[in-house]
Amino acid sequence: MSIERRQRGVPLTMHHQSSNIPQVAPDHHHQQSHSHPIPPANVNDDFSLKDTNPDLGERWPSVSGVGGRAGHGGMGWMNSERYSSTYDLVEQMFYLYVRVVKAKDLPPSGITASCDPYVEVKLGNYKGRTKHFEKKLNPEWNQVFAFSKERIQSSTLEVFVKDKEMIGRDDYLGRVVFDLNEIPTRVPPDSPLAPQWYRLDHRRSEGKVRGEIMVAVWMGTQADEAFSDAWHSDGASAHGDGVFNIRSKVYVSPKLWYLRVNVIEAQDVMPNDRSRLPEVFVKAQVGSQVLRTNTCPTRTANPLWNEDLMFVAAEPFEDQLVITVEDRVHPSKDDLLGRITLPLDMFDRRLDHRPVHSRWFNLENYGFGVLEPDRTRRELKFSSRIHLRVCLEGGYHVLDESTMYISDQRPTARQLWKQPIGILEVGILGAQGLLPMKMKDSRGSTDAYCVAKYGHKWVRTRTIIDTFNPKWNEQYTWEVYDPCTVITLGVFDNCHLGGSEKLNGGGTGARDSRIGKVRIRLSTLEAHRIYTHSYPLLVLHPHGVKKMGELQLAVRFTTLSLANMIYVYGHPLLPKMHYLHPLTVNQVDNLRYQAMNIVAVRLGRAEPPLRKEVVEYMLDVDSHVWSMRRSKANFFRIMALISGVISMSWWLGDVCTWKNPITTVLVHILFLILICYPELILPTMFLYMFLIGLWNYRLRPRHPPNMDTKLSWAEAVHPDELDEEFDTFPSSKSNDAVRMRYDRLRSVAGRIQTVVGDIATQGERVQSLLSWRDPRATSLFVVFCLCFALVLYATPFRVVALVAGLYYLRHPRFRSKLPSVPINFFRRLPARTDSLL
């Protein structure tokens, strides 16, 4: 069988070559992973992005006949003439699906008068089995098995029904055999294939035996609805809980809210020691988040704070708000004076900046030596109160990822969402040249899966076991509400396959190892274009940057409305509450950390779990950690920005020194034209930028940007700087290493201090022009201002500009190598450096 590539809109043709099942050649990459792991030296050479040409959008036939067993009149999966489209951003992968629904009237055991049945599905060397039921003659499994067509090495499929025995071999109850040449094909949106009852055959083909089994068998692709929950032959070595950990799943982040607690005041706060007035502060707790107000500056029984405390809460609300009023008795001792616990569901949900109503709450009083009956009577007569204004903020976007790589800016409240402006489609094709991540049976092994995160939606591909070149070919779709967002994709090694974590030395605390990460900014993508590239998977290790392999993707960004796109570019990046009532930098950092923890905990409770180390890596939990390497990278980014200004100043210097007389003459002519016609200055500037933009269009990037090791300063970094970057916080290094790094940091900070001081000095000299700190200099400047003002009043501005411009562009013959008079005067002005200690 051969499949011809087609152009868009042209029907695809398929030619039948043989009615026999092809004997597929062994997977060389798979065999290589079993014998000789790829050495890292061969994959660390090229960090660039590569163009690929995968076979996307292929078609697979569907059958007109719906049947099941061989010889029932349905057309074979090799003989169809009807075509149906599937995912168009992935290479089609074909699977033999076997749905085992149930069995009935199974023969009981002669000893127990019952049986513990299970089903074993066998295709060549691959075997899959259902769970077993105890003492059940009519079991129901409803389980699906998927066998990759590439690895089919048999022409028959066998479905065995067996009776599980506690001791010895399991008893054989019967089987059903299918000829693969007679298996029908199903392609969505066709309805699911109806399962059928089959009488069980004797093992040696000696006629029928007692019992029937309901089975459906069909050929399909990864677009089939049964694909995600099926048992896959690629993961045949997984067992126990590992079977669930290799499946592909879609996750949704919990809905996050900012909880604003405005602590206004308290009344009748009585300390345990009635001989003194209390020093009161309020502590608020939501889950593991604990914040406190400042201590009231005045000692009083009616303290006043009016402070805001911000928390992160996730729906459904499982935690409660716990408010405690405490007395600072001693710097190391606080007395609890009152407490109240409030459910989060009782608070208003605010959508804008309008204030919500405040409320008084009675505190549960705590006192030393108060007996329970006396305490109850006192609370009926007297209770301390606290005045709070609490609301759930729906107008903010709760940041759970770095603002540099943000994937969603929508506010929490769904009522404030706009219509989507586009669709993002990503085909996760596969990976190549992955490095061995762990040892299995004395050889290197990698069990890779890919995670993609955009907005609230996370996706996880299935785990391909024991190969350095996995092929996932899974396609996912996201709604896009803002093009200036980033999708993040990470590749990980699965260490939870039912026993392999013990081989990895981690026990129950085994962590999935990171293989690499890719970020794609949607605004860098052209609309309606399919990008097919192989992205390098780069990871920074304590001994340097390493290429762990390549991730092959197909990406398409489709815009729904050009008008909405233009509208979005003119509006703020974040919801308006971030600008009307902005949060402080410290609040944003702390709340982001809490939001990441909440998301990691909630996704870790899914089945299969998206583990904490995966979520933290995808959300860049360590992006705020100090790094000498990042500091150098940011410094050289700034230098690259100002290099244009420096180059322009050098060019003007060359013009003034007449290094290129033709250029200097042209500049003089342009200057004279602009002096004579000043109304042309702004149009000329914008026309010049327009022409530069058109010229640069030829040089526009043809592919999305990828991780740049040179920009990240990862190639030339010193090993000790990397060791410092991977150090824990607080440091776990020796005193000598910490002292050496501290001295190095002091040296770098000293240089920065000098630069900042020079900038401050120049600014203070400008201030001293009119401050009379140097009376003579200020007198000269004031007289000069008066004279220059009179000259400007009497002289047209064009003449002044012409004279100043020609003086600046004068020939080197009329220049002096000494500094000019204005520069000499400015450098003599006093600064406040002489007042520094």
Side-chain angles (χ1 to χ4, degrees), residues 290-330:
V290 180
L291 296 176
R292 51 162 292 177
T293 66
N294 294 319
T295 304
C296 183
T298 59
R299 294 194 174 194
T300 175
N302 301 302
L304 176 66
W305 296 280
N306 198 24
E307 294 184 27
D308 279 350
L309 305 178
M310 296 290 292
F311 300 90
V312 178
E315 286 189 359
F317 299 123
E318 300 176 352
D319 300 316
Q320 293 183 319
L321 174 63
V322 181
I323 301 290
T324 58
V325 179
E326 301 184 19
D327 179 18
R328 174 58 56 88
V329 179
H330 188 270

Side-chain angles (χ1 to χ4, degrees), residues 126-184:
Y126 292 99
K127 293 181 181 180
R129 56 179 292 178
T130 67
K131 59 184 177 180
H132 78 279
F133 291 99
E134 295 184 358
K135 299 180 180 180
K136 201 164 188 180
L137 299 178
N138 299 290
E140 292 188 13
W141 294 283
N142 197 25
Q143 188 169 343
V144 180
F145 299 85
F147 298 88
S148 175
K149 172 182 172 293
E150 292 183 353
R151 299 183 181 179
I152 292 179
Q153 297 181 353
S154 175
S155 60
T156 59
L157 169 72
E158 297 177 284
V159 179
F160 296 94
V161 182
K162 296 185 177 182
D163 181 11
K164 186 174 179 61
E165 297 292 340
M166 297 298 296
I167 301 176
R169 297 180 60 181
D170 296 341
D171 289 340
Y172 171 82
L173 300 181
R175 70 170 183 169
V176 178
V177 181
F178 295 89
D179 184 355
L180 296 191
N181 290 312
E182 303 297 333
I183 299 300

